[in-house]
């Protein structure tokens, strides 16, 4: 199998004991890519690889439960003795570097250039690391947000990030071998407004069915649901193989 996905964290909207927020390690063809950096995931990353080996970091959006552990990585790389051979490319929404610099009380982001090489995402952004091709698509959320499609030697991973129901998400996941998809909320509420910014389990299953994915992998389940319930409901809507993302497991595909 040319690709593997290791689950570092799945929690929403805050970490719990043994359950960091959103984060994953994507590996294949010599590349190691940290996908989303929710609180607690940098520690879990070190269980599975040396952070100095990271080829890239990819951040879906700048909500803290998907990005806050960039701060931990910055301390590790700048002061903790974990020194990458070159600054690690960070693919993220445009404001990422400024927000991270703000944690240090620094108005100028250039001091981060020794550890991170920030590269702004946009809809349709495509880059290749080793033999992994990463494509980002803008998805529906209440801030600038992207889903990810990773392709390597015929294997395809699609990742929703945080998204409401939208055509871009279905297109992103089209024909994917593994669709890593949030199922954050029990149901939509009128107060949620438009566009809807998260998926119910039924939304996740419906997107997987429309996209014709091989397997659905449920993650980012919020406090109004259990992971087991969310997965069962998503499976009923999808009608295909569906499993629950759990910290520490690695799936080759």
């Amino acid at each position: 199998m040319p690709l593997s996905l290791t689950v570092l964290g799945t929690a929403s909207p805050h970490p719990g004991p043994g359950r960091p927020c959103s984060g994953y390690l994507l590996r294949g063809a010599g590349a190691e890519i940290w996908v989303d950096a929710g609180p607690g995931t940098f520690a879990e990353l070190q269980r599975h690889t040396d952070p100095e080996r990271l080829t890239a970091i990819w951040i879906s959006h700048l909500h803290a439960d998907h990005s806050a552990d960039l701060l931990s990585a910055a301390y590790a790389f700048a002061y903790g003795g974990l020194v990458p051979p070159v600054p690690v490319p960070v693919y993220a929404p445009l404001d990422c570097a400024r927000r991270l610099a703000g944690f240090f009380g620094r108005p100028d982001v250039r001091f981060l250039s020794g550890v991170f090489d920030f590269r702004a995402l946009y809809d349709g952004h495509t880059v290749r690391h080793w033999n992994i091709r990463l494509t980002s698509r803008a998805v529906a959320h209440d801030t600038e947000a992207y889903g990810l499609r990773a392709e390597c030697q015929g294997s395809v991973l699609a990742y929703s990030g945080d998204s409401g129901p939208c055509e871009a998400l279905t297109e992103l996941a089209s024909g994917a071998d593994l669709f890593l998809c949030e199922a954050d909320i029990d149901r939509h509420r009128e107060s949620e407004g438009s566009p809807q910014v998260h998926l119910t389990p039924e939304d996740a299953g419906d997107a997987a069915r429309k996209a014709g994915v091989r397997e659905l992998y449920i993650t980012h389940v919020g406090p109004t649901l259990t992971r087991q319930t969310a997965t069962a409901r998503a499976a009923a809507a999808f009608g295909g193989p569906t499993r629950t993302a759990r910290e520490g497991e690695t799936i080759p595909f």
Side-chain angles (χ1 to χ4, degrees), residues 89-150:
V90 178
Y91 300 97
L94 180 62
D95 204 35
C96 186
R98 185 191 65 81
R99 292 196 190 188
L100 187 59
F103 280 109
F104 293 90
R106 301 283 290 270
D108 191 333
V109 303
R110 286 178 293 181
F111 81 100
L112 292 168
S113 63
V115 294
F116 293 137
D117 176 8
F118 288 96
R119 306 179 187 186
L121 291 178
Y122 54 84
D123 189 32
H125 179 280
T126 300
V127 67
R128 187 178 294 273
H129 279 278
W130 282 204
N131 204 28
I132 298 181
R133 184 173 184 260
L134 306 176
T135 302
S136 303
R137 285 295 310 273
V139 294
H141 202 44
D142 56 357
T143 189
E144 182 183 2
Y146 299 92
L148 175 66
R149 184 180 178 93

